Amino acid sequence: MNVINEKNIYLENKETKGFLADIFYTDTKEKLPLVIFVHGYKGYKDWGAWDLMARKFAEAGFFFVKFNFSHNGTTTDNPMDFADLEAFGHNNYSKELSDLGVVIDHFSKDPHVDDEKIILIGHSRGGGISIVKTFEDERINGLITLASVDTLDRFPKGESFENWKNNGVYYALNGRTKQEMPHYYQFYEDYENNIHRFDVERATEMAKAHMLIIHGTEDEAVEVKQAEHLHILHPNSELFLIENANHTFGAKEPWVETVLPQDLNTVTEKCIDFINKKLK
């Protein structure tokens, strides 16, 4: 099956700045459900095995989009490296939700897309962002979370928080690249100023979309009990736990294999099956 793949499509967001997106689909006369993948903290669209996952979705009959948040630290010239740590430091949830809105607006108008079938797939922190967006945007009728957080209140506490407030910045080490990645205090101020908007628990309870919650039982970054909590909050959701799977479902950066890791393949097949049953 011939998958059409367009990489590094430039999108402009006047509220933030320009960023890049990729699309995967098969050229067919029928309009395709739109699946948008939302990466997480320290993530980006070309990380690990996301391309292989995207291709599998396209082969299954979906118009698949993945993108870089405008302030995720990558640049339009260098989409696979954290080349702009200043932008990373100025990221916040308002900007991410704005960028996601631009992606939905842009690709829902694509002639290959059925704009009445829009599904978000959010990984890790991107899961929390996707939940909030699904509650806010009634066009979204499918929501899948992968290793998602159940709250966006993931800030330093106690003395560390006071130091952040006083210094205006704190740094998080990126274990893979060894970069000290800044977070300016505006990140927390944006959260505080929009605390009800960013309430993932409330958004989960209120969201009307069909919801699938996927989590690995050996997730080292987000505890599996957060998935169980989301499942309780959304009474019509489905919880799918993968035994012994980690936070990235076996994928890593770089991913040099030509096939998906077993756990991520299981994730992808479950997602496709869920969408086909609920929305196709």
Side-chain angles (χ1 to χ4, degrees), residues 41-42 82 88 170-183:
Y41 176 60
K42 296 181 189 170
F82 295 118
F88 183 91
Y170 85 88
Y171 294 89
L173 177 67
N174 186 316
R176 181 177 64 86
T177 67
K178 307 307 178 191
Q179 290 168 289
E180 292 281 353
M181 306 185 77
H183 299 75

Coordinates of all heavy atoms in Angstrom, one line a residue, residues 41-42 82 88 170-183:
Y41 N 6.4 16.0 27.0 CA 7.5 16.8 27.6 C 8.9 16.3 27.0 O 9.1 15.1 27.1 CB 7.5 16.7 29.1 CG 8.6 17.4 29.8 CD1 8.8 18.8 29.7 CD2 9.4 16.7 30.7 CE1 9.8 19.4 30.4 CE2 10.4 17.3 31.5 CZ 10.6 18.7 31.3 OH 11.6 19.3 32.0
K42 N 9.7 17.2 26.6 CA 11.0 16.8 25.9 C 10.8 15.9 24.7 O 11.7 15.2 24.3 CB 11.9 16.2 26.9 CG 12.4 17.1 28.1 CD 13.3 16.3 29.0 CE 13.6 17.1 30.3 NZ 14.3 16.3 31.3
F82 N 17.2 19.9 20.2 CA 16.8 21.0 21.0 C 17.8 22.2 20.8 O 18.7 22.4 21.6 CB 16.7 20.6 22.5 CG 15.7 19.5 22.7 CD1 16.0 18.3 23.2 CD2 14.3 19.8 22.5 CE1 15.1 17.3 23.4 CE2 13.4 18.8 22.7 CZ 13.7 17.6 23.2
F88 N 12.3 26.8 24.6 CA 11.8 25.7 25.5 C 11.5 26.3 26.9 O 10.5 26.0 27.5 CB 12.9 24.7 25.7 CG 12.6 23.5 26.5 CD1 12.0 22.4 26.0 CD2 12.8 23.6 27.9 CE1 11.7 21.3 26.8 CE2 12.5 22.5 28.7 CZ 11.9 21.4 28.2
Y170 N 14.4 27.4 36.6 CA 15.1 26.2 37.1 C 15.4 25.4 35.9 O 14.9 25.5 34.8 CB 14.2 25.5 38.1 CG 13.2 24.5 37.5 CD1 13.5 23.2 37.2 CD2 11.9 24.9 37.4 CE1 12.6 22.3 36.8 CE2 10.9 24.0 36.9 CZ 11.3 22.7 36.6 OH 10.3 21.8 36.1
Y171 N 16.4 24.5 36.0 CA 16.9 23.7 34.9 C 16.7 22.2 35.1 O 16.8 21.7 36.3 CB 18.4 23.9 34.7 CG 18.8 25.3 34.3 CD1 19.0 26.3 35.2 CD2 18.8 25.7 33.0 CE1 19.3 27.6 34.9 CE2 19.1 27.0 32.6 CZ 19.3 27.9 33.5 OH 19.6 29.2 33.1
A172 N 16.3 21.5 34.1 CA 16.1 20.1 34.1 C 17.1 19.4 33.2 O 17.2 19.8 32.0 CB 14.6 19.7 33.7
L173 N 17.8 18.4 33.7 CA 18.8 17.7 32.8 C 18.0 16.8 31.9 O 17.2 16.0 32.2 CB 19.7 16.9 33.7 CG 20.8 16.1 32.9 CD1 21.7 17.0 32.2 CD2 21.5 15.2 33.9
N174 N 18.4 16.9 30.6 CA 17.9 16.0 29.6 C 18.9 14.8 29.6 O 20.1 14.9 29.2 CB 17.9 16.6 28.2 CG 17.3 15.7 27.1 OD1 17.6 14.5 27.1 ND2 16.4 16.3 26.3
G175 N 18.5 13.6 30.1 CA 19.3 12.5 30.2 C 20.0 12.0 29.0 O 21.1 11.5 29.0
R176 N 19.3 12.2 27.8 CA 19.8 11.7 26.5 C 20.8 12.7 25.9 O 21.9 12.3 25.5 CB 18.6 11.5 25.6 CG 19.0 10.9 24.2 CD 17.8 10.7 23.3 NE 17.1 11.9 23.0 CZ 17.4 12.7 22.0 NH1 18.4 12.5 21.2 NH2 16.6 13.8 21.8
T177 N 20.4 14.0 25.9 CA 21.3 14.9 25.3 C 22.3 15.6 26.2 O 23.2 16.3 25.8 CB 20.5 16.0 24.6 OG1 19.8 16.8 25.6 CG2 19.4 15.4 23.7
K178 N 22.0 15.4 27.5 CA 22.9 16.0 28.6 C 22.7 17.6 28.6 O 23.6 18.3 29.2 CB 24.4 15.6 28.5 CG 24.6 14.1 28.4 CD 23.9 13.4 29.5 CE 24.1 11.9 29.4 NZ 23.3 11.2 30.4
Q179 N 21.7 18.1 28.0 CA 21.5 19.6 28.0 C 20.7 19.9 29.3 O 19.9 19.2 29.8 CB 20.6 20.0 26.8 CG 21.3 19.9 25.5 CD 20.3 20.0 24.4 OE1 19.5 19.1 24.1 NE2 20.4 21.2 23.6
E180 N 21.1 21.1 29.9 CA 20.4 21.7 31.0 C 19.3 22.5 30.4 O 19.5 23.6 29.8 CB 21.3 22.5 31.9 CG 22.4 21.7 32.6 CD 21.8 21.0 33.9 OE1 20.6 21.2 34.2 OE2 22.5 20.2 34.5
M181 N 18.0 22.1 30.5 CA 16.9 22.7 29.8 C 16.2 23.6 30.8 O 15.7 23.2 31.9 CB 16.0 21.6 29.3 CG 16.8 20.6 28.4 SD 15.8 19.4 27.5 CE 15.1 20.4 26.2
P182 N 16.0 24.9 30.4 CA 15.5 25.9 31.3 C 13.9 25.9 31.4 O 13.3 25.5 30.4 CB 16.0 27.2 30.8 CG 16.1 27.0 29.3 CD 16.5 25.5 29.1
H183 N 13.4 26.2 32.5 CA 12.0 26.5 32.7 C 11.8 27.8 33.4 O 12.2 27.9 34.6 CB 11.3 25.4 33.5 CG 11.4 24.0 32.9 ND1 12.6 23.3 33.0 CD2 10.5 23.2 32.3 CE1 12.4 22.1 32.4 NE2 11.1 22.1 32.0

